[in-house]
Amino acid sequence: MQTLVTFLGRADRNAMQQHGGYRRANYRFPDGTVRTQAFFGIALKDHLQTQGGVDRMLILGTASSMWSVLIEHLATGDEAEEQRLELIDREGNDGVDAATLQALEPLVCSKLGLEVRLRLIDRAADSATQQRILQTIAAEVADGSVSIDVTHGFRHLAMIGLVSAQMLTRARGLQLAGLWYGAGDMTDRQSGHTPVLQLDGLVAIQRWVEAIAAFDASGDYALFAPLFEAEGVPTSTARQLEIAADQEHQLNIPGARQSLQTFLQQLSSPWPGAAGLFETRLRQRLDWVRKTGLAEQQYALAERALDRRDALRAAL
């Protein structure tokens, strides 16, 4: 099951009057597909359904978000007109509540053709309300994979979207299918196309940061093997890190050194993708393999074990 999480921004009523409604954009996806939509979240849903499918949508917005515009976009004729007018009045007074949104869910589900949850969030002006947004997302996205759209809403909500991606993949074990941004400020004037950016690389960088920190605490080279594979390094090459970790754990220092040397020899410089950002730092942590004598190698590893307060490993 894949869930798409998207944020709903505020409506600029003056701009809407000038353009005869909420402005539509021609979103150009990385594969060249162009989808014309007023709401990027809907365009992304349509795109993902051609790539394997989206089963659920979670639409998050504040008490002043443009819920009325969403309903107007989805409904036809006078359908749901009473609810839309009520929403307009509530939005102007920051008065949209959870009960109102829940009553609209059947209509939105019917129009979008999948399960949809409309959830109210705070403006996230402090750490407590920011955490509540993460709790809301975690409660609604229980399993499977998740795609997150950080296009609309307050600008700082994009950072919350990034953090939620990390939380769902690390704390909940979900798979991140994509982190997306419809770059309206990058619209090409000649073609009229708005590029759609995939920001998954930011998540990859965060995973490297976590792996470096975990390695400094454990000395386990195997932590980096799946990250190198994700950057396109052959499995046989990345596997050398796992082998070296096992050998060093068994105090087979010459064998661990040979495995790490094989890994470094097979990996061309600069390292690919996000790995390149950490090449210098990780090479420094592997510099003990350049020492020629077994005693020097053991001494270097003992010092490193002491640095992470692993007295038993240092003594061994």
Side-chain angles (χ1 to χ4, degrees):
M1 172 179 287
Q2 181 175 171
T3 302
L4 170 59
V5 179
T6 182
F7 294 90
L8 197 63
R10 298 183 66 179
D12 185 337
R13 297 290 173 183
N14 293 329
M16 289 176 58
Q17 290 177 356
Q18 294 177 5
H19 296 283
Y22 192 72
R23 179 179 294 180
R24 300 165 70 88
N26 302 309
Y27 291 108
R28 187 184 72 247
F29 287 83
D31 65 355
T33 302
V34 177
R35 297 182 181 276
T36 302
Q37 257 292 349
F39 296 93
F40 176 66
I42 297 177
L44 179 57
K45 183 267 297 182
D46 293 339
H47 178 75
L48 293 177
Q49 286 186 321
T50 67
Q51 307 294 313
V54 173
D55 303 284
R56 302 173 71 247
M57 278 187 75
L58 172 61
I59 303 178
L60 304 170
T62 67
S64 61
S65 291
M66 51 183 172
W67 300 104
S68 62
V69 183
L70 175 65
I71 299 304
E72 180 181 8
H73 176 74
L74 294 175
T76 56
D78 295 331
E79 185 181 19
E81 181 66 10
E82 183 177 342
Q83 293 96 320
R84 187 183 70 84
L85 294 175
E86 180 184 357
L87 283 170
I88 292 176
D89 182 61
R90 287 178 174 270
E91 290 165 5
N93 299 294
D94 289 340
V96 177
D97 56 26
T100 301
L101 296 182
Q102 187 173 1
L104 292 170
E105 283 183 358
L107 171 66
V108 179
C109 291
S110 173
K111 296 299 180 180
L112 292 181
L114 76 170
E115 181 184 351
V116 182
R117 292 289 180 266
L118 309 179
R119 290 295 179 264
L120 202 63
I121 59 174
D122 294 302
R123 295 188 176 185
D126 53 49
S127 60
T129 54
Q130 291 159 10
Q131 291 172 15
R132 278 202 293 271
I133 293 177
L134 296 177
Q135 290 170 347
T136 297
I137 295 174
E140 295 293 338
V141 187
D143 52 24
S145 61
V146 59
S147 290
I148 300 179
D149 161 32
V150 297
T151 303
H152 300 295
F154 296 115
R155 295 192 179 189
H156 65 296
L157 292 181
M159 291 183 282
I160 293 178
L162 177 60
V163 172
S164 66
Q166 285 297 111
M167 176 191 67
L168 293 172
T169 55
R170 293 307 185 200
R172 302 294 294 277
L174 275 69
Q175 177 185 357
L176 179 65
L179 188 64
W180 300 85
Y181 174 62
D185 51 349
M186 295 172 61
T187 300
D188 185 272
R189 292 185 178 181
Q190 292 185 343
S191 66
H193 290 170
T194 297
V196 175
L197 310 181
Q198 274 194 273
L199 305 178
D200 302 21
L202 298 177
V203 179
I205 292 172
Q206 182 60 35
R207 288 173 179 165
W208 273 94
V209 172
E210 292 174 354
I212 290 285
F215 173 74
D216 286 343
S218 67
D220 184 4
Y221 310 114
L223 293 165
F224 300 108
L227 300 183
F228 276 107
E229 285 193 68
E231 299 295 351
V233 173
T235 300
S236 59
T237 299
R239 171 68 177 155
Q240 295 300 317
L241 293 170
E242 297 176 346
I243 295 173
D246 289 339
Q247 291 170 325
E248 187 178 320
H249 183 73
Q250 298 165 15
L251 297 180
N252 181 3
I253 306 305
R257 178 174 181 261
Q258 181 59 53
S259 297
L260 291 175
Q261 284 180 324
T262 300
F263 168 77
L264 292 171
Q265 290 167 0
Q266 293 179 356
L267 200 62
S268 59
S269 186
W271 290 356
L277 297 174
F278 303 92
E279 178 176 354
T280 300
R281 189 171 178 182
L282 188 53
R283 282 186 182 276
Q284 290 173 347
R285 284 158 173 74
L286 301 178
D287 62 358
W288 69 268
V289 303
R290 300 188 309 179
K291 299 184 183 301
T292 56
L294 176 59
E296 291 183 354
Q297 297 160 15
Q298 290 174 316
Y299 189 81
L301 289 171
E303 283 191 314
R304 186 151 302 165
L306 283 178
D307 287 341
R308 61 177 183 266
R309 297 184 179 184
D310 188 347
L312 177 59
R313 174 60 54 174
L316 292 171

